[in-house]
Amino acid sequence: MDTELLLPDVADLVTEDDTPADNFASEKQQRLLTGSLYSSLPHKTFLAAANVGIYTTPSRPPIVSDVFLSLDVTVPEQWWEKQNRCYLLWQFDKPPDVVIEIVSNREGDELGGKFSRYEQMRVSYYVVFDPNHELGSEELRLFELRGRHYAEMTETWLEQVELGLRLWDGVFEGKQARWLRWCDAKGQLLLTGDERAELERQRAEQERQRAERLAARLRALGEDPDLER
């Protein structure tokens, strides 16, 4: 039997509605989280996205996560085709591994309806980042799926995806703030492309200065540093 005949009809799915209404802080935070994964993990297979709908069934409205990470899957080549425009669980054959919600007000229901939907979807890790303490005193809360239900975590290392999360006070795209960042097992940040380029620039400058100091010492000894030896 042709398995394609068993796939749900996606003709009527709303894969985008062109009515985004997010804020500057959330938009930058989302790009920081997705961008640093792609710049730091070029050899791993995964899909990270922001504000993309996740469908569990065609008959139920999608849930749109601020950020999600799904390992061992990639965006299909023909991504403009209807069935490839958003995250359909029956297409990818798995839920995302991590979902992150960024709280900007009390309307998002991050610890209510969304919590329940991600739990039912069997997302392994659910993260709620609440920089303005809209939902309580805790700025960062992490939940791990254990059995059928979420249990709150006391640490920020996500064992199943071999990544951690940490809060970082610093500058991203000219804005000083406290950001949520990915990190490795040692707590080292996963860098953005710009951060990696800046590190390379600093290394090159240090090497140039080292070469200039060496040349100056050779000249002081009466030797020409430009002569080939």
Side-chain angles (χ1 to χ4, degrees), residues 161-174:
V161 297
E162 298 183 329
L163 288 169
L165 287 163
R166 53 171 284 198
L167 298 175
W168 174 74
D169 292 302
V171 177
F172 173 60
E173 294 185 346

Side-chain angles (χ1 to χ4, degrees), residues 142-153:
L142 297 89
F143 302 89
E144 181 180 22
L145 191 68
R146 297 174 185 170
R148 298 174 61 88
H149 301 288
Y150 278 135
E152 189 156 9
M153 301 173 64

Side-chain angles (χ1 to χ4, degrees), residues 10-75:
V10 299
D12 296 327
L13 290 187
V14 178
T15 57
E16 58 276 314
D17 59 14
D18 297 321
T19 58
D22 219 330
N23 56 75
F24 290 127
S26 293
E27 188 274 337
K28 280 188 180 292
Q29 176 66 82
Q30 291 161 6
R31 284 193 294 105
L32 175 56
L33 287 166
T34 57
S36 58
L37 286 171
Y38 282 106
S39 63
S40 295
L41 305 174
H43 304 300
K44 291 185 73 73
T45 300
F46 65 89
L47 170 57
N51 281 325
V52 172
I54 303 172
Y55 273 95
T56 54
T57 67
S59 60
R60 190 173 189 184
I63 186 167
V64 181
S65 307
D66 284 330
V67 174
F68 71 75
L69 166 65
S70 189
L71 300 181
D72 302 317
V73 300
T74 58
V75 176

